[in-house]
Amino acid sequence: MGVGGKFWELLKSYARFEGFDFLRDKKVAIDLSFWIVQHETALKNQALNPHLRLTFFHTVNLFSKFGVFPVFVLDGTPSPLKSQARMVRFFRFSGIDASTSNVAEEGVSKERNSTFKKCVNDCVELLELLGMPVLKANGEAEALCARLNRDGHVDACITADSDAFLFGATCVIKSLRPNSKEPFECYNMSDIEAGLGLKRKHLIAVSLLVGNDHDLNGVQGIGLDKALRLVRGFSEDEIFDKLYEIGKGHVPLFQGEIRCAADATPCSDESSPKAKQSHCSFCGHPGSKKAHFKSCCEYCITDSNEGCLKKSQGFKCNCSSCDKVRKDKDKKKHENWWINVCNLISKETKFPNDEIIEMYMCNNHGEFTEKGPLLEWGDPKTDLLVDFLAYHQSWQPSYIRQRMLPMLSTLYLRELARNPNKTLLVGQYEFHSIQRVKIRYGHQYYEVKWKKAISNELSCAVPVEQSNMLEEEFTEVDDEPIGLLDESIEPQIHVDGCWILTDENPELVLSAFPEEALKFRQEKELKVMKRRKISTPRSEGSSEMSESSKPQGVQLSITEFYRTTKTPSQAKLGEDLVKQSSSPGVGSSKQKRKVSGSKLSKAVRRRLLFG
């Protein structure tokens, strides 16, 4: 949740829509609890241990497809202030109706319920076997994610809790679907500051007014619009002090349209009108109607000086007197609004809450060493991982090893770019060739072919010939998953005897095998040039041909079809008729009868027979 009052909808107009390459080679902190709750809600009662299944596949996809270095963060001991939000989450996760439950609010344990805690522990064990770093926060996971982001240890946070900005996050990704061609929403604090004019302390003040995870109610009667209008009247340095004054019942100077006390003082100029002047009921300008009938007033411009013009419907006078009256009314209206809002705030006890402000502003969200957090990505423990998933998910070991292969190939390519001496993938396969370019979910990949390296070549099956699909240089695969349980969430690999095919990032392949990648690109460019040379004469000749020379793959309309098929035959027939008409005697009549026997329309046959 985070900040209440539809806070995400307010920020949506300032979101950047980024492609998956945005995260390549970047470190990203992930709120693991949110990830588990999201997956469990989507797949509850649909799969065996969905939290393990999706954590495994999404981690492999994040690491291999997106090229991300993920850092998973766990919730620590929740704050007592978050008891209400924790209880709501507990009821939602357990499927219990909170309205019929007899559980007292004060009786909710500080620790997670046993079912959810077991899910978290299972995921932590799985992530550690995958070689991913896992950190535990002292309190909220999004707080530690924000601190890692603010201190520069990670480049972004993945969490749906909007209070990550309140903890100091600078880049937040609300949600991320690994198998979608749609860009994801990325929120930068710099864009929010420029668009809304609000900084971190302003956002904390807004959360105190509209509610947050630690105070669900906020101030009664104040919504998001009122809160934004209120906090914009103060600078970041003074916002908390002003809230303390309002909470104690002191109403500060109105800050809506007036920016300083000098602006609030009425002007002492004697020339300024003190009361509204009388206005003409006919033209609406200052003066009397009787005087305006005799001569035109200074505000009405007419050709003759006989009288004023009649005022139009909805007319408003712009004289200094009327302008001052309108400004006074607006000022009074805004002042009344200001006083009412301050009165609503002063009715709240202990506002603002010091514990919430201190929690958002403190930096003690995790235990770090002097050099910072320990962020290390190790190699997966394949054998232990196979045993773990075979036990919990009842998967076959061969299936697990195949699904791990994209992650292992990514690690291999990264290591090979640093250490060219490493030759075999998982100790069995060696690089063979780049087969083609693939477009998957709108993103480009190289399909890399790996050959099994064994000493006895006779024991290896003879590799099959490349299929027709591999003959195409450029293939697009568009298989958007229908649901989260669709098989397309799994990494794409192909196993065929002693060959395996994996989808790899082109830049990663170029860094690991520069010569082979450059050779593939050159061959591809040559093929493209040959195709252009072949297509150029065709395009030149097509300009001299009629519309019948359109490609066969293009479907013609019914009119174009009959025009292209009948026109040549009718033209040839016309030439024959001209030749026949020029020949004399009986032969011409025979030719007429011969032509009339052909498949001609009635009108043509009549003209031939009867002239």
Side-chain angles (χ1 to χ4, degrees):
M1 173 188 166
V3 183
K6 299 181 180 180
F7 189 69
W8 276 119
E9 294 184 9
L10 174 69
L11 303 182
K12 192 173 183 63
S13 56
Y14 306 103
R16 295 184 183 183
F17 293 91
E18 304 285 358
F20 84 111
D21 283 331
F22 172 76
L23 294 175
R24 186 160 300 282
D25 297 330
K26 291 184 178 180
K27 301 175 183 178
V28 178
I30 300 173
D31 183 354
L32 182 60
S33 298
F34 159 71
W35 218 11
I36 296 173
V37 170
Q38 184 186 38
H39 295 166
E40 192 74 19
T41 304
L43 299 180
K44 193 173 183 179
N45 300 326
Q46 297 185 36
L48 177 63
N49 296 326
H51 59 286
L52 288 177
R53 184 181 189 274
L54 289 178
T55 298
F56 172 72
F57 285 123
H58 282 199
T59 303
V60 172
N61 274 322
L62 274 177
F63 196 83
S64 58
K65 174 184 173 181
F66 285 81
V68 174
F69 291 89
V71 180
F72 293 90
V73 182
L74 309 177
D75 282 323
T77 303
S79 168
L81 296 172
K82 202 175 180 179
S83 58
Q84 290 181 338
R86 186 174 62 251
M87 186 173 62
V88 170
R89 182 177 294 179
F90 168 78
F91 288 137
R92 185 184 305 158
F93 179 76
S94 304
I96 302 174
D97 186 3
S99 60
T100 60
S101 176
N102 296 323
V103 180
E105 178 180 335
E106 299 296 334
V108 178
S109 172
K110 293 183 179 180
E111 295 294 332
R112 299 283 182 180
N113 63 82
S114 58
T115 304
F116 186 78
K117 190 175 181 180
K118 182 180 182 300
C119 291
V120 172
N121 293 335
D122 291 343
C123 289
V124 169
E125 187 176 357
L126 173 62
L127 293 170
E128 289 177 347
L129 292 175
L130 286 170
M132 301 293 109
V134 180
L135 303 179
K136 185 173 182 178
N138 293 336
E140 302 299 324
E142 63 268 21
L144 182 54
C145 291
R147 182 187 172 185
L148 292 171
N149 186 208
R150 186 178 70 251
D151 294 345
H153 300 297
V154 298
D155 300 289
C157 307
I158 299 180
T159 179
D161 284 334
S162 55
D163 54 1
F165 296 107
L166 281 57
F167 286 110
T170 58
C171 181
V172 175
I173 298 171
K174 185 180 178 183
S175 61
L176 188 67
R177 291 187 60 189
N179 289 303
S180 175
K181 62 177 65 175
E182 297 297 328
F184 54 83
E185 298 177 8
C186 182
Y187 298 85
N188 291 295
M189 189 62 186
S190 57
D191 296 335
I192 297 172
E193 290 179 359
L196 291 175
L198 303 178
K199 296 188 177 181
R200 180 184 174 188
K201 290 184 180 179
H202 287 123
L203 298 181
I204 295 175
V206 170
S207 72
L208 295 172
L209 293 169
V210 301
N212 50 71
D213 280 348
H214 313 278
D215 181 13
L216 297 179
N217 298 323
V219 178
Q220 296 296 325
I222 295 184
L224 191 57
D225 293 336
K226 287 184 179 179
L228 290 173
R229 187 176 171 186
L230 177 70
V231 301
R232 279 175 177 154
F234 306 110
S235 66
E236 186 183 21
D237 296 332
E238 65 178 355
I239 180 65
F240 290 152
D241 295 334
K242 294 299 181 181
L243 290 182
Y244 281 119
E245 290 182 15
I246 298 174
K248 293 178 181 177
H250 304 296
V251 180
L253 181 65
F254 171 66
Q255 299 287 328
E257 298 296 330
I258 302 171
R259 292 296 175 185
C260 62
D263 297 333
T265 10
C267 180
S268 59
D269 188 2
E270 295 180 357
S271 62
S272 62
K274 296 183 179 180
K276 183 177 180 180
Q277 299 177 356
S278 61
H279 283 57
C280 173
S281 60
F282 184 76
C283 69
H285 295 130
S288 63
K289 182 177 181 181
K290 183 177 180 181
H292 288 185
F293 269 123
K294 295 180 180 179
S295 61
C296 177
C297 69
E298 58 179 327
Y299 298 96
C300 293
I301 301 175
T302 59
D303 296 335
S304 61
N305 197 19
E306 296 180 355
C308 294
L309 300 174
K310 185 177 181 180
K311 62 181 179 181
S312 60
Q313 188 176 3
F315 169 80
K316 289 184 179 180
C317 179
N318 294 323
C319 69
S320 57
S321 175
C322 294
D323 188 52
K324 182 179 183 304
V325 171
R326 281 194 295 268
K327 287 183 179 180
D328 291 341
K329 286 183 179 179
D330 290 341
K331 178 183 174 183
K332 188 66 177 176
K333 179 181 178 181
H334 291 309
E335 286 179 348
N336 290 336
W337 175 89
W338 182 267
I339 293 172
N340 291 335
V341 170
C342 292
N343 290 335
L344 290 174
I345 295 175
S346 61
K347 292 179 182 178
E348 298 291 327
T349 58
K350 296 181 180 180
F351 184 89
N353 193 315
D354 294 330
E355 295 182 29
I356 297 178
I357 295 176
E358 183 180 356
M359 179 191 59
Y360 282 135
M361 295 300 297
C362 77
N363 292 321
N364 186 23
H365 299 299
E367 300 298 333
F368 294 167
T369 61
E370 295 180 357
K371 297 181 181 180
L374 184 61
L375 303 180
E376 294 182 355
W377 290 264
D379 294 333
K381 301 175 182 177
T382 308
D383 295 335
L384 294 177
L385 191 59
V386 168
D387 295 339
F388 178 84
L389 292 175
Y391 174 76
H392 287 88
Q393 299 298 113
S394 300
W395 292 344
Q396 295 296 326
S398 58
Y399 175 83
I400 300 171
R401 294 179 186 276
Q402 288 180 10
R403 299 310 162 190
M404 286 178 58
L405 190 57
M407 184 176 185
L408 298 175
S409 65
T410 301
L411 286 169
Y412 170 77
L413 293 175
R414 286 177 179 171
E415 181 64 25
L416 192 64
R418 294 191 297 265
N419 180 19
N421 295 327
K422 191 170 183 178
T423 56
L424 296 180
L425 170 64
V426 296
Q428 299 183 35
Y429 294 92
E430 61 183 0
F431 177 85
H432 181 268
S433 60
I434 301 173
Q435 293 293 303
R436 57 172 174 158
V437 176
K438 287 179 64 175
I439 302 295
R440 188 169 185 80
Y441 304 111
H443 310 306
Q444 191 178 93
Y445 296 91
Y446 281 169
E447 186 177 69
V448 178
K449 190 173 185 179
W450 306 86
K451 179 183 178 181
K452 193 169 186 179
I454 54 177
S455 57
N456 186 5
E457 296 182 359
L458 297 177
S459 62
C460 179
V462 178
V464 296
E465 296 294 331
Q466 294 183 355
S467 62
N468 294 332
M469 180 181 67
L470 294 180
E471 293 178 0
E472 294 293 333
E473 181 69 23
F474 189 84
T475 306
E476 180 170 356
V477 183
D478 188 4
D479 49 356
E480 184 74 15
I482 299 175
L484 288 174
L485 277 177
D486 194 274
E487 287 298 315
S488 58
I489 68 171
E490 300 170 357
Q492 296 296 316
I493 63 168
H494 308 279
V495 180
D496 186 9
C498 295
W499 307 95
I500 59 174
L501 300 174
T502 61
D503 299 339
E504 307 294 346
N505 176 260
E507 298 300 325
L508 196 58
V509 176
L510 179 62
S511 62
F513 301 101
E515 296 180 0
E516 292 82 353
L518 290 174
K519 181 180 177 182
F520 173 78
R521 292 184 179 183
Q522 291 174 358
E523 292 176 353
K524 182 182 175 184
E525 291 176 358
L526 289 175
K527 289 183 180 180
V528 172
M529 292 176 63
K530 288 181 180 179
R531 290 174 183 173
R532 288 178 180 175
K533 290 180 180 179
I534 295 173
S535 61
T536 301
R538 293 179 181 177
S539 61
E540 292 177 353
S542 62
S543 61
E544 301 176 358
M545 296 172 64
S546 64
E547 295 180 357
S548 62
S549 61
K550 289 187 177 181
Q552 296 181 357
V554 179
Q555 184 175 0
L556 302 177
S557 64
I558 189 67
T559 306
E560 292 176 339
F561 173 76
Y562 280 105
R563 185 183 301 133
T564 55
T565 54
K566 286 188 174 182
T567 302
S569 60
Q570 290 179 359
K572 183 178 180 182
L573 181 60
E575 294 176 357
D576 295 339
L577 291 176
V578 172
K579 292 179 181 179
Q580 294 166 7
S581 61
S582 61
S583 59
V586 183
S588 61
S589 61
K590 292 180 179 180
Q591 291 173 354
K592 287 182 179 180
R593 286 193 297 271
K594 184 177 180 181
V595 173
S596 63
S598 60
K599 295 181 180 179
L600 301 175
S601 63
K602 289 183 178 179
V604 174
R605 291 201 297 270
R606 283 178 187 145
R607 285 198 297 270
L608 293 174
L609 294 174
F610 304 107

